[in-house]
Amino acid sequence: MKSYHEHPLRILRYSAKNIWLLIFPIIRSINVIRFDRDFLYNWLRGAWFDLLIIGAILVFGFVRWFFSQIVVGETAIVHRLGFFVRVIKTIPYANMSSVTIEHPFYFKPFRAAIVRCDTSAGILNATDMKLMVSEKTANVIMEHIPDVSEATKIKDIIDPSELSVMLFSAFFSSGFSGVVYIALFLIKGGSIARDIISISINSIQTQTAHISERLVLKIPFAAVLLGLFIIGTWLLSFIVNLLRYSRFNTDVDENCLNIRYGITTRKEFRIMPSHINYTDMRQNLIMKYMGMVAVNISCAGYGSDSNSMPVLTPVKKERSIGRELEHIGIFAGVRNDFRTLRTGFWNYIWLPVTLGAALIPAQKRIVEFFPKFSELSYFVLIMFEVLLGWFTLIKLTAWWTSGIALYDDKILVRCCKWSFFHTVVSERRKLVKVTFEQTIMQEFWGTCAVGFWFEGEEYRKYKVKSMSVQNAARIAELLDCAGSARLLKKGVFNRKRRK
């Protein structure tokens, strides 16, 4: 058992917590501001006070760093910190869900690294232990964490190609096609707005036509700039994702899942397979019809950063995904045991269809009251109708493909949340709650919605709509929800009946 300090760079981080003390030098500087030749002399005369405050901030940071100690034991890692109030945080290695080591490029000159240790305890994806240490200390810590054995690792797993990473970065970068759509809207809409405002100004004040023209010409230019800005933000997001997930490597055995990726910030994750809550195969509509899928996992500490996703496999063909994930219970070609009712399509498409139908008379009313805006309102109508049509196609696809399958000790849920399709696979023991919900209209058609919650630090619900009440009762039986099964069979449906 040996004790280590955090990296000296941590002194600056601890010092930053007392940065508010700089308000006193700022107040002093404001008091001595005079626009005369004695200003510099007056300021330098009291500079000792500013240096004292800065020194105090650094001393506070040094004291916190000095009393921050890391003890790497045989069975647990201990972090002791604090001077006036001592805090001792202990995490046994056996309870760790995942351990992350990060090597940001700006830490390279200082030979520093960040180590994160996470367990299934806690909420809101908060890191249980975050340490900034030297690379040597990081290696000592990682020696105590289980890793993939070269002798027992699964040989069939093929690392994703650069094309796979590029497709993943493209599909999951800030909206993908939506950005292009909005940019087109702004560019075209800006041109129409220019024409409308030009006609209005000329009809009101023809004698100032020259000034009006100069004013109006700025409108489409600004709209084009805004459209290009939105496209630029997507392109920037795409480049960032490409740098973040390039050089993606995966190694797996029965005891550990090792994932490494990144160029500018190289990250290594060691994940305990027994702590994985569920896998989530995600698709958008384009990926759905092309038979491609991106596999995510839910595990404490992996993908908890708001800027990253818990990806296990970037974009690949769905039919080739099964063999690689058999060790965690995912098999290719699993069909739904319980499907949505074919008469329940309206439950999926009612919102976009209703909105699309309501926009047509709304546009006509706008033209009646504001005839000069007819061209712009018609353009807006067409753009929104296209968007709602796309959303309707998504929901129709969801209605046709959603369902539930139960095999071995696993549960599979296929559903759609907003514009993404999810195929969630988990062990039944990690299912923490099931709900059966029914609206008045669903009661008339004999359908209901079945919702599932799985273990995890986040509150996420996966719901399959338009299931028959008979199938819901059968699902309740198979999942040992005896009370719900009896009520569903009797037709006594209490809404949001829970497990």
Side-chain angles (χ1 to χ4, degrees), residues 333-373:
V334 176
R335 297 186 177 181
N336 295 328
D337 295 330
F338 305 95
R339 305 186 62 172
T340 56
L341 284 176
R342 292 300 170 241
T343 56
F345 67 93
W346 180 251
N347 197 29
Y348 282 83
I349 67 172
W350 70 269
L351 181 59
V353 170
T354 303
L355 288 176
L359 285 177
I360 297 175
Q363 187 267 342
K364 292 182 178 179
R365 297 292 291 177
I366 291 174
V367 172
E368 290 179 6
F369 288 99
F370 307 99
K372 292 181 181 179
F373 289 91

Side-chain angles (χ1 to χ4, degrees), residues 266-323:
R266 189 66 178 170
K267 296 183 179 181
E268 178 184 348
F269 301 87
R270 295 188 190 177
I271 301 168
M272 309 306 119
S274 60
H275 288 252
I276 295 176
N277 302 313
Y278 57 85
T279 60
D280 180 9
M281 291 181 279
R282 297 183 61 189
Q283 300 167 293
N284 59 23
L285 188 62
I286 298 174
M287 295 171 65
K288 189 76 171 177
Y289 284 103
M290 293 181 67
M292 297 188 298
V293 65
V295 182
N296 290 1
I297 60 175
S298 170
C299 181
Y302 184 53
S304 57
D305 185 0
S306 59
N307 295 322
S308 62
M309 289 175 282
V311 56
L312 174 60
T313 303
V315 174
K316 296 191 70 174
K317 285 289 184 180
E318 188 174 6
R319 63 173 177 267
S320 64
I321 212 75
R323 178 179 296 179

Side-chain angles (χ1 to χ4, degrees), residues 410-451:
K410 303 292 190 299
I411 177 170
L412 180 147
V413 180
R414 289 189 175 97
C415 62
C416 177
K417 298 177 71 173
W418 293 103
S419 62
F420 278 97
F421 300 89
H422 298 263
T423 301
V424 178
V425 181
S426 176
E427 297 179 5
R428 296 195 198 185
R429 65 184 178 86
K430 299 204 172 184
L431 179 66
V432 296
K433 185 170 69 172
V434 184
T435 62
F436 303 94
E437 306 172 16
Q438 188 180 60
T439 64
I440 296 176
M441 290 298 297
Q442 289 174 333
E443 187 175 359
F444 177 78
W445 292 104
T447 64
C448 64
V450 185

Side-chain angles (χ1 to χ4, degrees), residues 40-58:
L40 184 59
Y41 171 76
N42 292 330
W43 184 81
L44 290 175
R45 190 174 59 179
W48 64 269
F49 178 76
D50 300 346
L51 296 175
L52 181 65
I53 294 295
I54 295 173
I57 292 174
L58 293 175

Side-chain angles (χ1 to χ4, degrees), residues 194 197-198 201-202 205-219:
R194 180 196 61 184
I197 296 176
S198 178
I201 292 179
N202 287 332
Q205 198 172 4
T206 55
Q207 65 272 25
T208 58
H210 180 67
I211 298 176
S212 300
E213 183 181 1
R214 293 181 59 187
L215 174 64
V216 169
L217 286 176
K218 295 181 181 179
I219 295 174

Side-chain angles (χ1 to χ4, degrees), residues 148 152-158 250-259 271-276 278-279 295-297 312-313 320-332 407-410 425-427 429-430:
V148 176
T152 60
K153 77 175 184 179
I154 300 174
K155 307 294 184 181
D156 294 335
I157 294 183
I158 301 174
T250 306
D251 291 316
V252 187
D253 65 8
E254 293 183 356
N255 301 316
C256 182
L257 170 61
N258 192 316
I259 299 175
I271 301 168
M272 309 306 119
S274 60
H275 288 252
I276 295 176
Y278 57 85
T279 60
V295 182
N296 290 1
I297 60 175
L312 174 60
T313 303
S320 64
I321 212 75
R323 178 179 296 179
E324 300 180 359
L325 300 179
E326 286 182 0
H327 64 285
I328 55 176
I330 298 179
F331 299 89
Y407 62 96
D408 298 334
D409 62 337
K410 303 292 190 299
V425 181
S426 176
E427 297 179 5
R429 65 184 178 86
K430 299 204 172 184

